[in-house]
Amino acid sequence: MSNVRIKKILKSMLLLTFITLALFASGCTEKDLGAEEIASRMLEKQDSIQDYSYTMHTAYYVGEKAIESEFKTIYKKPYMIKNFIQEPGKEEETLVLSDGEFRWMYAPDTNTVMKTRLSKTPELTKSDYLTLAGITLNDTNVSLLGLEEIDSRETYLLKAVPKETEENAAQYDTKIWIDKETWMPLKYELYDSSGNLTVRTEIYDLKVNSGIPDSEFVFNIPDGAEIKTID
């Protein structure tokens, strides 16, 4: 799978996350709401989320072959995030942690730490929400397929179909499952123009507003690790 195709898939997943959160943040399914009104309701709902954690498993399908990856995420407003990434072919997880001031990336196979000072950015959960929601409303037709249960959670099942424009010619049809309790996505499926499944992403062990302490985002440098600092 080419890097261009993967980027298009990830862009579609990101945009659809915002639109589905927007559509159901207010508990309604009307399709004729304006983009700004939907984004406003979404922001109102997302303001109540202070922290969350989950495990994400993704499979990319190339013919009959599946390329799988997994990572765990712990997030706390406004700037702290911690990812454990399980890369294909590697036994140990790569750690990427942002404490609000620095981003730390630790590769256990080389015992190397990359330290990068972070620039001041808007709160992660509010960055460009209005823009992203507006783009998605203009580019896709979203419909509600029904309700389904995933991992003992009741979800809304939606389908998003790109509108027929020259710019959207290479986009993907998508199904997305939204948790009714937390309004967060629990599963994505992306399909190509022939209806073949190309990507499946599933969220496990989702916890929202569990009171994650700041100490969770303190990076402890492993013994003997080489530290490389990047401006």
Side-chain angles (χ1 to χ4, degrees):
M1 184 178 294
S2 68
N3 288 336
V4 172
R5 187 180 179 190
I6 291 175
K7 287 179 180 178
K8 287 180 178 178
I9 290 172
L10 293 177
K11 178 184 177 183
S12 297
M13 292 169 62
L14 177 62
L15 293 178
L16 285 165
T17 298
F18 287 114
I19 184 57
T20 48
L21 286 172
L23 284 170
F24 290 106
S26 62
C28 62
T29 59
E30 291 89 348
K31 302 181 183 67
D32 57 350
L33 294 176
E36 292 186 3
E37 184 178 358
I38 290 175
S40 177
R41 295 186 183 185
M42 175 186 63
L43 288 174
E44 289 175 6
K45 184 65 181 181
Q46 294 307 297
D47 279 344
S48 67
I49 297 179
Q50 300 302 315
D51 63 57
Y52 58 76
S53 61
Y54 59 77
T55 299
M56 176 183 287
H57 183 90
T58 301
Y60 297 93
Y61 295 93
V62 183
E64 296 182 356
K65 182 180 179 181
I67 302 173
E68 300 182 63
S69 63
E70 186 170 285
F71 71 89
K72 301 173 185 176
T73 290
I74 303 172
Y75 172 76
K76 183 176 183 179
K77 286 184 179 179
Y79 306 112
M80 294 180 284
I81 190 165
K82 187 176 185 179
N83 290 322
F84 296 93
I85 305 169
Q86 184 65 61
E87 299 181 67
K90 293 187 177 182
E91 294 184 0
E92 297 183 271
E93 297 174 319
T94 297
L95 170 63
V96 181
L97 182 150
S98 296
D99 57 17
E101 184 177 2
F102 294 98
R103 181 181 66 212
W104 306 82
M105 184 173 72
Y106 175 60
D109 53 342
T110 60
N111 201 26
T112 302
V113 175
M114 302 293 290
K115 178 183 178 183
T116 308
R117 181 177 292 279
L118 298 174
S119 59
K120 295 298 182 181
T121 58
E123 185 177 299
L124 293 179
T125 56
K126 290 187 177 180
S127 180
D128 292 330
Y129 263 39
L130 289 173
T131 301
L132 288 168
I135 290 173
T136 308
L137 281 171
N138 292 330
D139 292 347
T140 63
N141 294 312
V142 182
S143 59
L144 176 64
L145 298 183
L147 302 176
E148 284 193 13
E149 189 171 291
I150 295 181
D151 196 22
S152 299
R153 291 176 179 269
E154 192 170 36
T155 68
Y156 294 104
L157 171 56
L158 290 86
K159 183 177 182 179
V161 178
K163 295 179 180 178
E164 294 183 2
T165 64
E166 182 176 345
E167 184 179 349
N168 286 341
Q171 297 298 320
Y172 297 80
D173 289 359
T174 305
K175 289 182 179 179
I176 182 168
W177 287 255
I178 302 295
D179 182 20
K180 289 181 67 175
E181 179 183 354
T182 63
W183 307 104
M184 296 187 71
L186 297 182
K187 183 178 178 180
Y188 301 94
E189 288 183 350
L190 274 68
Y191 297 83
D192 63 19
S193 57
S194 299
N196 299 312
L197 178 64
T198 59
V199 180
R200 173 182 285 132
T201 295
E202 297 173 283
I203 303 281
Y204 302 102
D205 303 323
L206 174 65
K207 297 178 181 178
V208 177
N209 291 340
S210 60
I212 299 172
D214 290 354
S215 58
E216 182 69 48
F217 304 93
V218 175
F219 182 76
N220 297 311
I221 299 174
D223 293 339
E226 179 185 3
I227 303 176
K228 298 181 180 180
T229 303
I230 302 175
D231 292 334

